[in-house]
Amino acid sequence: MSSCETCVVRNRAICAGLDNQEIVALNAIGRRRSVSAGEPLIWEDDDSLLVANVIDGVLKLTTSTEDGREQIVGVAYPSDFIGRPFGQTSKASVVALTDARVCVFSRNDFDRFARSHPELEHKLLERTLAELDRTRSWMMLLGRKTAPEKIATFLLEMSDRLAETGCTPITRGPAKRFTLPFSRQQVADVLGLTIETVSRQFTKLKNEGVIDLPARRDVEILNRASLVALAG
Amino acid sequence: MSSCETCVVRNRAICAGLDNQEIVALNAIGRRRSVSAGEPLIWEDDDSLLVANVIDGVLKLTTSTEDGREQIVGVAYPSDFIGRPFGQTSKASVVALTDARVCVFSRNDFDRFARSHPELEHKLLERTLAELDRTRSWMMLLGRKTAPEKIATFLLEMSDRLAETGCTPITRGPAKRFTLPFSRQQVADVLGLTIETVSRQFTKLKNEGVIDLPARRDVEILNRASLVALAG
DNA sequence: TGGCATGGTTGACGCGGATCAAAGCGGACC
DNA sequence: GGTCCGCTTTGATCCGCGTCAACCATGCCA
């Protein structure tokens, strides 16, 4: 029996509107799975055989060029949906950034289930539209923002995202202090920069007293207003 | 009566699966509208009051910074869907690039109609997922590709898109020669470059015999293989 | 406690693409 | 045909970020 308590709760996020019987049915076709940090779950250009719902942890969606350049095109947090339903191939790899637990479904099973449960499809549509909005605003960042603007925007986004998903034990609202689920290289891959530029911008913000960097991956926002100003 | 023949045909694209009676019902809540080149249809950050289906013409989706930098985050071709259903605000402006005809719906009407027609929602979901895939692969271009790679990728994409939507009177398959629906500035806004860089890369490709530029907005692909190689 | 591996920082330098400026177009209109 | 006007091209210069290389911090294991 795969339907643990947390799994049910997280799946509920994509199920609001379904009645309890349906939620149980969905859980019945899902299988819980642990993924450790760095471990891939889905490969770019592979047949789309599975989709999943994130229970906890953070995962990255990436695309790469043949010569090894990588771009992170999305980040999945708890209760986010990953994989490509209704499509033959997935256009992005999915790799865990932290140890993560997911609830995986065979794509065929999930597609069939979704098609016969309009409320679930509706929820999925809403999420996909929201993700598209987020992705488009990230295009503006990649195409038109400077390195300092990128870093500031990134820190603000992280502060919001990590607070809202409860990855930091902090009351609601943007987190003042948080632990990045990214290495410097991964931050660079999100922002379309190099690791050196990311590092330099971080220390610059630290020297200016805008943020503090108490540990490798920890960030404390000291002056949110100037971050907002810098983000443009 | 707003449901002209083309409108019905184009709407049919998002309606496959609905029976005829439903298609007629959808057309009944839509209103046909002409938009001339350069005219805006939806404004960034405005209340999302209308959604639309493109009958013909090409439109751009853009986001801008306060200081006027612009990024084109999407392009809508005939039978594409624009606007933000199930959302309070639209995160992108929509402006016609060419004279265009669209079939507009009040968002409320459309949302209500969609929620009671699962087949339509499913179609919408499939389209949104496909658009998300396209958008993500564009992120790779914006974040990691060089100017020559960007231009080559752009030309190949245009060649595919313009052929497939029938904007050029050419048999199926990628178009060898086509008219860009973009000015140089707009190409720059798609690729995250400046107008000067776009111009220089175009003339470079022309000098190398990869493409020909018979008129301002016309492109002829002379050597598709090297474009593919350049696109990376 | 020392050695090593991994990841992050810092510095010197060069290049790709932005910026600034001026000179071609080519179409619309008279 | 002439003369605008907006768009595009071309040239000169600059600078932000990438590249290359060395150095430093941290944590792990012997």
Side-chain angles (χ1 to χ4, degrees):
Chain A
M1 193 53 198
S2 71
S3 56
C4 64
E5 193 54 33
T6 327
C7 199
V8 170
V9 170
R10 293 300 190 188
N11 279 341
R12 199 180 293 272
I14 61 166
C15 291
L18 273 70
D19 63 34
N20 273 326
Q21 195 187 335
E22 289 175 311
I23 295 178
V24 170
L26 176 62
N27 274 291
I29 62 168
R31 205 164 44 76
R32 184 172 151 187
R33 176 159 158 197
S34 290
V35 197
S36 40
E39 192 185 332
L41 186 65
I42 295 173
W43 282 266
E44 187 175 355
D45 294 326
D46 261 25
D47 286 347
S48 170
L49 294 177
L50 63 86
V51 297
N53 198 22
V54 180
I55 310 301
D56 57 38
V58 183
L59 301 92
K60 65 172 181 176
L61 283 66
T62 63
T63 56
S64 306
T65 53
E66 292 171 15
D67 59 349
R69 283 172 287 176
E70 181 169 315
Q71 175 69 45
I72 294 183
V73 297
V75 182
Y77 298 91
S79 93
D80 280 352
F81 192 83
I82 53 183
R84 178 61 163 91
F86 310 118
Q88 286 314 301
T89 58
S90 20
K91 296 291 207 58
S93 304
V94 178
V95 178
L97 290 175
T98 63
D99 290 346
R101 286 179 302 159
V102 298
C103 183
V104 299
F105 305 90
S106 120
R107 186 178 70 81
N108 283 333
D109 289 354
F110 184 86
D111 284 5
R112 213 173 304 119
F113 187 90
R115 294 230 50 170
S116 54
H117 294 83
E119 278 300 333
L120 174 59
E121 279 218 317
H122 176 73
K123 203 76 196 168
L124 212 50
L125 175 58
E126 293 220 349
R127 282 166 170 275
T128 310
L129 287 165
E131 182 63 23
L132 186 57
D133 280 350
R134 237 195 313 276
T135 305
R136 282 177 172 159
S137 72
W138 216 249
M139 290 180 80
M140 155 57 79
L141 175 142
L142 288 173
R144 291 299 185 201
K145 289 195 176 178
T146 63
E149 289 171 331
K150 285 179 176 181
I151 295 286
T153 308
F154 172 78
L155 289 173
L156 290 171
E157 158 111 359
M158 288 314 294
S159 144
D160 289 344
R161 284 291 211 126
L162 293 179
E164 129 199 326
T165 53
C167 286
T168 41
I170 286 195
T171 50
R172 297 290 116 185
K176 209 172 148 304
R177 181 176 174 159
F178 48 87
T179 299
L180 294 175
F182 301 103
S183 69
R184 290 288 184 271
Q185 180 59 63
Q186 287 159 351
V187 175
D189 290 341
V190 171
L191 299 177
L193 295 172
T194 57
I195 187 174
E196 295 92 335
T197 302
V198 171
S199 180
R200 278 185 249 270
Q201 295 298 329
F202 269 46
T203 51
K204 186 153 155 279
L205 287 177
K206 184 183 173 182
N207 293 338
E208 291 166 348
V210 178
I211 60 171
D212 191 24
L213 301 169
R216 286 205 162 178
R217 290 188 173 208
D218 290 358
V219 179
E220 181 171 2
I221 296 180
L222 300 176
N223 188 344
R224 177 164 257 266
S226 37
L227 268 191
V228 172
L230 284 170
Chain B
M1 194 50 199
S2 71
S3 56
C4 64
E5 193 53 34
T6 327
C7 199
V8 171
V9 170
R10 293 299 191 189
N11 281 339
R12 199 179 295 270
I14 60 165
C15 292
L18 274 70
D19 62 35
N20 273 325
Q21 195 187 335
E22 290 175 309
I23 295 178
V24 170
L26 176 62
N27 275 290
I29 63 167
R31 206 164 44 76
R32 183 173 151 189
R33 178 160 156 196
S34 290
V35 197
S36 38
E39 191 184 333
L41 186 64
I42 295 174
W43 282 265
E44 187 177 354
D45 293 326
D46 261 25
D47 286 346
S48 170
L49 295 177
L50 62 85
V51 296
N53 198 23
V54 180
I55 310 301
D56 58 38
V58 183
L59 300 93
K60 64 172 180 175
L61 284 64
T62 62
T63 56
S64 306
T65 53
E66 292 171 14
D67 60 348
R69 282 172 288 175
E70 182 168 315
Q71 176 69 45
I72 294 183
V73 297
V75 183
Y77 297 91
S79 92
D80 280 351
F81 192 82
I82 52 183
R84 177 61 162 93
F86 310 117
Q88 286 313 301
T89 58
S90 18
K91 298 291 206 60
S93 303
V94 179
V95 179
L97 290 174
T98 64
D99 291 345
R101 286 179 301 160
V102 298
C103 185
V104 299
F105 306 89
S106 122
R107 185 178 67 83
N108 283 333
D109 288 355
F110 185 85
D111 284 4
R112 211 173 305 120
F113 187 91
R115 294 230 51 171
S116 53
H117 294 84
E119 278 299 334
L120 174 58
E121 279 218 319
H122 176 74
K123 203 77 197 168
L124 214 49
L125 175 57
E126 293 220 349
R127 282 166 168 275
T128 310
L129 286 165
E131 182 63 23
L132 187 56
D133 280 349
R134 238 196 312 276
T135 306
R136 282 177 171 158
S137 73
W138 216 249
M139 289 180 81
M140 156 57 81
L141 175 142
L142 289 174
R144 292 297 185 203
K145 289 195 177 178
T146 63
E149 288 172 332
K150 285 178 176 182
I151 295 286
T153 309
F154 171 79
L155 289 173
L156 289 172
E157 157 111 0
M158 288 314 294
S159 145
D160 289 344
R161 284 289 212 126
L162 292 179
E164 132 199 323
T165 55
C167 284
T168 41
I170 285 193
T171 49
R172 297 291 115 182
K176 208 172 148 304
R177 181 176 173 158
F178 48 89
T179 299
L180 294 175
F182 300 103
S183 68
R184 290 289 185 270
Q185 180 59 61
Q186 286 158 352
V187 175
D189 290 340
V190 170
L191 300 177
L193 295 170
T194 58
I195 187 174
E196 294 94 334
T197 301
V198 171
S199 180
R200 278 185 249 270
Q201 295 298 330
F202 270 46
T203 50
K204 186 155 154 278
L205 287 177
K206 185 183 172 180
N207 292 338
E208 290 164 349
V210 178
I211 60 171
D212 191 24
L213 301 168
R216 286 205 162 177
R217 291 190 172 206
D218 290 358
V219 178
E220 181 171 1
I221 296 180
L222 300 176
N223 187 344
R224 176 165 258 268
S226 37
L227 268 192
V228 172
L230 284 170

